[in-house]
Amino acid sequence: MIVAENCIHCDLLVIGAGLAGSAAALFAANRGISTVLIGRTGNLQFTSGLLDLLAGYPVEDANDFSQSPWESVARLTADIPMHPFALIDPPEIRQAFTEFLAFLSEVGLDYYVETERNIRIVTSLGTLKTTYALPTSMRHNATALKEKQPCLLIDFEGLKGYSACQIRETLTRSWPGLRSARVAVGSGREYYPQPLADELENPSVQTDLVKAIRQHLRGEAFIGLPAVLGLSAASNVRQALEKQLGLPVFEIPMLPPSLPGLRMKEVLEKHLSGRKGVKTLFQQEVLEANRTEDQTFICHAGPGEPMVTIEARGIILASGRFFGKGLHATRKGIRETLFNLPVKQPESRSLWHHEDLLHPQGHPINLAGLETDKHFRPLGNDGQPVYRNLFAAGTILAHHDWMRMKCGGGLALSTAFGAVNAFLKMRSTSSN
Amino acid sequence: MVFTVSFYLALSICFFGVFLRMAGWARTEFDPQDSVGSLVRRLSGIFTGSLRILSSRRIVWIAAALIRDVFLQIPLLRAGFFRWLAHMCIFYGFVLLVMMHALGSIITAFFFPDYASTLDPFMMLRNLFGAMVLFGILVAALGRMRRNRFFRATSRSDRLVMFLLALVIVSGFLLESVQIVSAPIFDQMVDDYMGTDDTEIRDPLKAYWAKEFYVVFSEQPSSQDLETGQTLHEENCAACHSRPGSAFLSFSLSRLVGPWALWLNRVRADIWLWYIHFGICFVALALLPFTKFFHLISVPLNLMARAGVGLSSHPGTPDDITRLALEMDACTHCGVCSLHCSVAPIFRIIPNTNILPSEKLMSVTQLAHGKQLDATHLEAVSEGSFICTECFRCTERCPSGISLQTLWRKGKQTLIDRDYPDPHGWVRQLTTDQWADRLDRCRDNKPLCDTFNRYRHAAQDPNTFSACIQCSICTNVCPVVAAADGMMPPEVTPQQVMNLLRLNLKELALGSRMVWDCVTCYLCQEHCPQGIRVTDILYDLRNIAVERLQPVRRPSSRVHPDGCKTDDPHGKNRNEVS
Amino acid sequence: MVPHSNTPQGDAAPPSTIKTQVLIIGGGATGTGLARDLALRGVHCVLAEKEDINAGASGANHGLLHSGARYVASDIEAAGECRVEGELLKRLAPHCIEETGGFFVAVEGDNEQYVADFPQMCAACGILSKEIDIPTALELEPALSNRLIAVHQVADASIDPFRLSLENIAHAQQLGAVFLRDTAVVSFRRRNGYVDSALLRNRKTGEETTVIPDQVVNAAGAWAGYVASLADIHIDMIYSKGTLLVTQNRLTQRVINRLRPATDADILVPGGTVSILGTTSVRVASPEGIRPTVEEVDLIIDQGAAMAPVLESTRYIRAYAGVRPLFGSQQSGGDRTVSRGFALLDHMDSGINNFISITGGKLTTFRLMAEKTADLVCRRLGNSSPCLTGTQPLPKTEFSQWTEPGLAPKLWLKRRDPTDSLLCECDMVPKSAVESIAGRLSRSGRRADLSALALRSRIGKGPCQGAYCSVRVAAHMYDIGILQGNHGLPQLRDFLRERWLGQHPLLWDLPLAQSELMQAIHCGFFGIEQESITGVE
């Protein structure tokens, strides 16, 4: 028997507080499941804040903007029945998006979706990013791009890695209406995105910025700024600028750690913790997981004293890939870090990567991961689920290359959705 | 004759000394730079100030203070019962002795015209007071043995004072006991008061005294007629002599010396002891201004001044300096402050006595009196002073009512003026690369870090930082970076410190501002996706930096002349101290 | 003598023509060294390099300045040359060299006989070696294995080959030599026993140049055979591929050699802030497209770990491979037994009188090779001025200094310019450095691209392997106007691709996570793998 005070009992333990984990916790809470969410939220800062569904299939034309994402999904699941998307009905994917985006807007982070088609925006590199759900701060980015409207791109003194001139130069042949200008905020010193965002939440700084921008305006219809317009008060900042400039303003996503990702991190941390039925253990991790004969999981979490013990009837493993430390690779091979589940992987390390970084097919190792049955339960070497109450969601799954297929967001949300439903099913069957 | 001369000599020394000390208050100046007014101005300041207060309504407060703090010594009681007990015994025992016994012919005789030191109750009281003092000293001594938790607060002058006191009392008792058994004194008194040599008449009295007053005679009195002896006693002696029994201590002592009485009488020990006793008393009197005895004057003055003026009247004004001087003199080095000091525990890790207020005060006093301390001492004082958090506990606890806070601040100011600021201050005298140059020029191969084990090697073990994936989140969340002023030399960000370490540029890392500006908020460490102990490493570097930069920070360690003259406003001071 | 472009004459003349005394082909250590040697003798020369400085073996080696001790058993002559040249370079080019000193260490199981003979063999070649007792050795180099059985100290040193070649060519250019980057030989025109002109083409811009030389020197290293074949000359070449690994941290202070007959992965050379472990020797058919492989990496680590166990666990940031140009008819026996001495061929037998090939050799002896070649060239040109490279110190140019690890942060902190922010965080390369390099490059004719900047600085050489700095540098290049149009993206791709070649065999543990982040950023988010990602078809 475990000491009561630092022991938490719950129905579902979600391991991993990235996009998939957070979504899983949300979905579970919405279905009245008592849930514990544990993991580092830091890596959300590396996400672009955009939620891709599937930018196109096959990957070679992952930039084929004309495709409807849903058609692509259909074709994808037809060709690759092992792809996680194949484990869920498209309606469920839609539902996952709707439910998650509803939550975000409920907590003040609005997203823009054109349900049937993808959206395309400009990145700080001047490349065109095809995505599905877009922070509203970037909505005009899409509009301006689509209509190739005359547009003034602003960059900031001392903000490295972002050059308005670069975007203009890169796109100017297809979009002649672009102009660029550099303005200074505060002292001309070096700025990092987050401090800059904080600074921009200050009204007086906003007015200075507006003044500076006005000097460069030559009748453009839109104004594009790096995605650093405020953190928690982002929408206010943008509206304030639009109001004073009398022009639509949009953000251009840039090199991570990115503000849009950070905004997502902030609201998830803040509002999942407050959510009814959810207990969060952020910046902690499960160090050890055991299973009693009555199939309850008993997990010990750290760091920090006293060590927390979590007793759960089911686990959703959303611990991510190598960067998220859900998977770990040695010279000998790849293993899953917590349960040592079998990982589907190429035979030898020499097959992990192509010699060409940008090989159109993507690297085989990015298809490695956990194989599951249709209830998202990781399979053992015998092809049977390892545990009937252990589920997996997110990028840790095998047979997807989200980086090439541009399906990260969709993958996280839909597999989280599927896993939670699978858990519900499991619970109902076991209870009666 | 000898008596009077030595007495007045001692007295005048005492007065002169007291005057010197008081004049000292008026001469004290923390910093030669700032003008604190002429001696006359300061002295007049003292008197006018005191007059102003005494004539104001404050007089009530002072009276209150006098009763509470001086007569009842409540502050001491707060410091501990035994302290209080000891101090009360010594204080009252001695004061009463002085008034009733030393100044008996003046004070006591004034109230009791037929006063004689050999009459009861005076004889008994004298013994009682003496006993009180001895008891007090005993308790105090024991207390000192028990108390020294961090350090030995007891100084040499401390022991000297206790020793002198004990000597005065003991010699007194010895004297009295010898007088009790002394036949010569008996004879002399008989001569003086009966004026007859007729042994017929003398012997009964002699017999009576031998029996009742334990005087020891060389030859037994021939007559044993005690009745006659008693009547003779009644007639001639009773007016001035009570039975010795009531001098309980001296009497029992006299029984002890009994066996040697004859010899003692022969050598006239009474006379010798008499000289010794008074000799010691005069020595003590003369030493009063120059030893801890002086607190008899300074502490009450200070307590009353505090009651009259409050903690600190007008900081920086000449009178305030005078006031501080008085406070420094009021320190009895009782160590109460150190016992309650909130940073005293650091003394366990950094064995620098100047961390302890009671010890630091002595250094500060030396600073205040413009003494030229050597570099190492000044560095020690600086370290101690800037570790102090000014939490006010010492001031609150000080039984002498010294406002230590004010003294600490003044001390810090002086240290800064003498170019011994805290590390946060002096590390800014050079820029990152200048520090690096100096470290390069005077390399020492001793291990970089000898500080708290907790952080040990965090900055030296590549495993602590080589997992960095260069995402710059640590910099992104760093409040110091966010607050950095663009006009400063480039702030080395947390990530850049990690990279300097990875690039094996430890010297640059040590000299960098970030190491010192870090507010140890731990945001970087909490946000690092790789779990790198960024803050711990910075903290470790800071500890290493103190050790490594301190020795190279003075121009004396300059290898070639250019050094850092431009960043060295106090060049002259430095050269003389180093 | 200065080159003069002459106006087109007669039949479709090439866009530009350069007349020169000597055309040098190959911008490796030998080529650049030769350019300087000739320039110092007042001979005008044009150096054509198909890629960039040290693109071949000169850039893909340990950066080890041999004391010679390594060759005492296999190649006494080479050992002697190494000794002499090593001492000379330490004197004349100190800014390219770190005098680390070196250990030869034997561990349990190594050939005892060889260990025993080693001192005499060194002595025979006049190479100073001193036996060190094991405890002392371990104290000096804690990273070494505690299974040591013998340690000898020699005068090995580490040398920065890029700095070396950059300084050489910089000095040559200063003396009037012409350097053509990205310029490959397309063909030679032979006329009655002479090569009277060479057609060159820029591989990036495609622009063609005709060079009319008096003499042609083929210093193309591993490509010497190919270049010669363009002039219908056959050279016997052996291509021996060597792979090396770069660790993230500097593991030892000294050069560590395995004290055994030369074989795989037995040298660990400190290079500034890193250590370089190698190498392998694999016979390959051609110098083209050779890459480090996973198998080689594993072999090197397993072998190296015997010498310094930390090599098993340490973080590697890069692997690269080079081809040793070994000259000699294919005889049996490992390539390491083929002479590491060099071969100077005058090709008179092939009926050409102004074509010289210099090949083989090794970094340590590059100057000697250049000298001997220059002597021959000058004899042919009737130029009698003596060689000066053996006496004149190699000048130090500010522009070539940025390859030195740890230098950038020092200078950056000295400048104390708050607007001069770091573009590369790993090795702390600031804007100012990029600008100084770019400035110099554009002054020397061609505009700087990302890879050229990286080659001349520490950009992309740290743990992030270009993931972050590439974007920051590119953005800055646009800001200062050395990048225009949509050339940024191709350059970014090239740069990252080139970095990747050195990364992918090393991707496990942390570096794998790092590379995942890099792909997430550049493919997942920026989508640079899509050719049409800018919408500009």
Side-chain angles (χ1 to χ4, degrees), chain A residues 46 48 50 52 59-60 62-63 123-129 155 160-163 165-166 169-171 173-174 182 188 190 192 253-256 321-323 328-331 349-350 352-358 363 365-366 402-404 406, chain C residues 291 294-295 297-298 301-302 312 418-419 421-422 425 467-468 471-472 474-475 478-479 484-486 489 492-493 496-497 500-501 504-505 507-509 512-513 516-521 523-530 532-537:
Chain A
F46 295 99
S48 60
L50 311 169
D52 304 348
V59 286
E60 290 82 341
N63 202 38
T123 73
S124 64
L125 216 54
T127 57
L128 305 187
K129 167 74 181 161
D155 61 13
K160 53 191 181 188
Y162 183 97
S163 161
C165 158
Q166 174 177 22
E169 284 286 324
T170 311
L171 292 174
R173 275 171 56 199
S174 60
R182 168 155 297 186
E190 179 171 14
Y192 289 83
M254 56 185 288
L255 190 70
R321 298 183 70 78
F322 304 101
F323 189 58
H328 183 259
T330 66
R331 275 161 63 199
R349 205 170 93 237
S350 50
W352 284 3
H353 298 96
H354 297 293
E355 271 189 359
D356 178 6
L357 167 65
L358 305 177
H363 300 286
I365 193 174
N366 293 336
W402 68 272
M403 295 183 283
R404 293 306 182 87
K406 322 286 186 245
Chain C
R291 308 265 181 263
V294 169
E295 293 72 15
V297 168
D298 286 347
I301 294 178
D302 296 338
E312 182 66 44
T419 62
S421 47
L422 296 182
E425 289 278 358
Y468 286 97
V471 178
R472 300 201 192 106
Y478 273 103
D479 287 341
Q484 274 138 15
N486 54 5
L489 213 46
L492 191 71
R493 291 195 185 104
L496 289 175
R497 279 194 162 108
W500 178 258
L501 291 177
H504 73 84
L507 295 181
W508 66 86
D509 199 2
L512 182 63
E516 196 176 48
L517 175 64
M518 185 266 287
Q519 292 179 62
I521 294 171
C523 300
F525 174 50
F526 286 131
I528 63 167
E529 82 277 14
Q530 303 286 338
S532 62
I533 198 67
T534 59
V536 186
E537 326 311 332

Side-chain angles (χ1 to χ4, degrees), chain A residues 37 80 87 92 106 145 175 182 186 236 260 276 295 324 397:
Chain A
L37 173 62
I80 313 175
L87 307 174
E92 285 191 312
E106 165 195 333
L145 171 63
W175 189 355
R182 168 155 297 186
N236 311 357
K276 186 171 172 302
Q295 303 184 339
L397 298 173

Side-chain angles (χ1 to χ4, degrees), chain B residues 288-317:
Chain B
L288 183 138
F290 311 105
T291 57
K292 194 173 169 180
F293 282 126
F294 190 65
H295 82 277
L296 277 165
I297 297 166
S298 56
V299 171
L301 269 181
N302 187 52
L303 285 165
M304 289 188 289
R306 181 169 172 179
V309 193
L311 269 187
S312 166
S313 53
H314 311 294
T317 63

Side-chain angles (χ1 to χ4, degrees), chain A residues 237-295:
Chain A
V237 175
R238 199 180 76 263
Q239 281 152 13
L241 293 178
E242 286 182 333
K243 191 150 152 299
Q244 296 181 45
L245 284 161
L247 284 174
V249 167
F250 62 82
E251 286 190 321
I252 298 177
M254 56 185 288
L255 190 70
S258 81
L259 261 291
L262 196 53
R263 291 172 193 147
M264 172 101 61
K265 170 176 179 285
E266 295 244 313
V267 293
L268 287 176
E269 278 179 352
K270 186 144 167 266
H271 297 281
L272 278 181
S273 312
R275 201 81 173 169
K276 186 171 172 302
V278 187
K279 169 143 186 54
T280 56
L281 299 172
F282 290 135
Q283 322 322 339
Q284 304 237 20
E285 53 194 318
V286 173
L287 305 170
E288 185 195 338
N290 309 311
R291 199 154 173 276
T292 62
E293 55 290 331
D294 71 342
Q295 303 184 339

Side-chain angles (χ1 to χ4, degrees), chain B residues 75-319:
Chain B
L76 259 178
L77 188 56
R78 282 173 62 237
F81 173 75
F82 285 102
R83 262 179 201 280
W84 178 78
L85 183 63
H87 201 261
M88 286 296 262
C89 288
I90 299 173
F91 178 68
Y92 281 105
F94 200 76
V95 168
L96 290 171
L97 272 177
V98 168
M99 294 201 304
M100 186 205 77
H101 169 62
L103 306 175
S105 45
I106 306 159
I107 300 177
T108 330
F110 176 79
F111 296 103
F112 311 90
D114 51 4
Y115 158 79
S117 63
T118 47
L119 265 183
D120 272 337
F122 309 108
M123 198 157 65
M124 185 271 286
L125 284 173
R126 187 168 59 241
N127 274 264
L128 179 65
F129 297 151
M132 275 169 70
V133 177
L134 283 180
F135 174 73
I137 293 174
L138 189 69
V139 175
L142 290 176
R144 273 168 173 65
M145 286 172 206
R146 211 184 84 262
R147 202 184 313 112
N148 308 337
R149 248 173 53 220
F150 296 118
F151 63 103
R152 318 206 123 273
T154 322
S155 67
R156 214 191 287 95
S157 105
D158 216 12
R159 291 201 206 79
L160 172 68
V161 166
M162 286 164 74
F163 177 68
L164 273 177
L165 270 183
L167 219 53
V168 169
I169 304 302
V170 172
S171 62
F173 278 123
L174 276 173
L175 174 57
E176 192 172 28
S177 59
V178 172
Q179 283 176 333
I180 289 175
V181 296
S182 166
I185 300 183
F186 174 85
D187 295 335
Q188 191 178 357
M189 283 195 297
V190 171
D191 295 347
D192 295 356
Y193 296 100
M194 287 176 69
T196 168
D197 303 343
D198 183 345
T199 49
E200 292 307 317
I201 306 167
R202 272 173 170 227
D203 274 8
L205 185 63
K206 210 170 169 186
Y208 182 78
W209 269 65
K211 180 154 193 313
E212 299 296 329
F213 285 75
Y214 304 98
V215 179
V216 179
F217 295 98
S218 45
E219 76 288 347
Q220 284 307 316
S222 50
S223 144
Q224 287 304 327
D225 174 0
L226 293 176
E227 286 74 18
T228 333
Q230 183 161 14
T231 34
L232 284 169
H233 170 73
E234 307 286 337
E235 290 163 3
N236 305 300
C237 321
C240 304
H241 284 282
S242 311
R243 288 165 170 275
S246 57
F248 51 92
L249 261 177
S250 319
F251 179 68
S252 27
L253 205 56
S254 69
R255 307 310 311 135
L256 289 177
V257 298
W260 300 281
L262 289 173
W263 174 77
L264 287 167
N265 293 344
R266 200 172 319 114
V267 298
R268 292 309 306 266
D270 53 312
I271 299 177
W272 292 118
L273 277 169
W274 187 87
Y275 278 116
I276 293 174
H277 179 61
F278 282 93
I280 297 167
C281 291
F282 294 159
V283 169
L285 177 63
L287 283 180
L288 183 138
F290 311 105
T291 57
K292 194 173 169 180
F293 282 126
F294 190 65
H295 82 277
L296 277 165
I297 297 166
S298 56
V299 171
L301 269 181
N302 187 52
L303 285 165
M304 289 188 289
R306 181 169 172 179
V309 193
L311 269 187
S312 166
S313 53
H314 311 294
T317 63
D319 294 346

Side-chain angles (χ1 to χ4, degrees), chain A residues 325-403:
Chain A
K325 300 188 174 63
L327 299 177
H328 183 259
T330 66
R331 275 161 63 199
K332 306 274 167 283
I334 305 170
R335 39 179 292 274
E336 187 277 325
T337 49
L338 188 55
F339 295 93
N340 202 9
L341 300 166
V343 177
K344 172 80 179 165
Q345 56 186 292
E347 284 68 29
S348 82
R349 205 170 93 237
S350 50
L351 302 175
W352 284 3
H353 298 96
H354 297 293
E355 271 189 359
D356 178 6
L357 167 65
L358 305 177
H359 191 287
Q361 286 302 330
H363 300 286
I365 193 174
N366 293 336
L367 294 170
L370 304 182
E371 283 186 321
T372 68
D373 67 358
K374 64 185 198 311
H375 300 301
F376 294 93
R377 292 180 296 196
L379 300 175
N381 296 320
D382 57 359
Q384 292 308 308
V386 181
Y387 303 120
R388 56 185 293 278
N389 55 346
L390 173 64
F391 308 84
T395 52
I396 196 171
L397 298 173
H399 303 296
H400 71 83
D401 181 348
W402 68 272
M403 295 183 283

